[in-house]
Amino acid sequence: MKIDIARGARTGTLLKASKKADLSAKWASTPFAKKLAKKETRANLTDLQRFQVMINRKRKAAAIKKTVKAISKKKEPPKSPVALTEHLDAAND
């Protein structure tokens, strides 16, 4: 991310240039900013929300395990990773 401003620019000039360049939106779309936001969100969860996250993770893992087991019983592995993803998505619906 780069903003073209003069060296030694004042705070107001910098703020105007960053708004014009839409710097905050560019920052929010970076992987590092997403990781920080996710970390902050998780840090602010209540006990009930953490419990719900745990239950949802267990349900997702069980659904994946069930689908993989069904696929392995057929002995016909998917031809590509995309096919496996589509199969898993269809099984969860």
Side-chain angles (χ1 to χ4, degrees):
M1 292 178 275
K2 183 178 176 182
I3 300 176
D4 292 326
I5 56 171
R7 185 173 181 268
R10 293 183 179 181
T11 307
T13 308
L14 180 62
L15 289 174
K16 287 178 186 176
S18 66
K19 278 189 177 183
K20 185 178 179 183
D22 201 21
L23 193 63
S24 60
K26 288 179 184 176
W27 166 252
S29 67
T30 62
F32 186 67
K34 290 177 184 177
K35 182 178 178 180
L36 288 177
K38 186 176 182 180
K39 188 175 181 180
E40 182 181 349
T41 302
R42 287 189 174 211
N44 292 325
L45 292 179
T46 63
D47 287 342
L48 177 62
Q49 291 169 332
R50 277 194 297 275
F51 178 75
Q52 290 170 337
V53 168
M54 179 191 72
I55 296 300
N56 289 334
R57 286 180 61 218
K58 285 184 175 184
R59 285 182 181 163
K60 181 180 176 183
I64 291 171
K65 187 176 179 180
K66 181 179 177 182
T67 305
V68 169
K69 189 174 182 180
I71 291 172
S72 65
K73 279 188 175 182
K74 290 181 182 178
K75 298 293 182 191
E76 185 180 321
K79 301 196 179 3
S80 69
V82 175
L84 176 61
T85 306
E86 290 171 355
H87 182 75
L88 288 174
D89 289 341
N92 289 335
D93 290 338

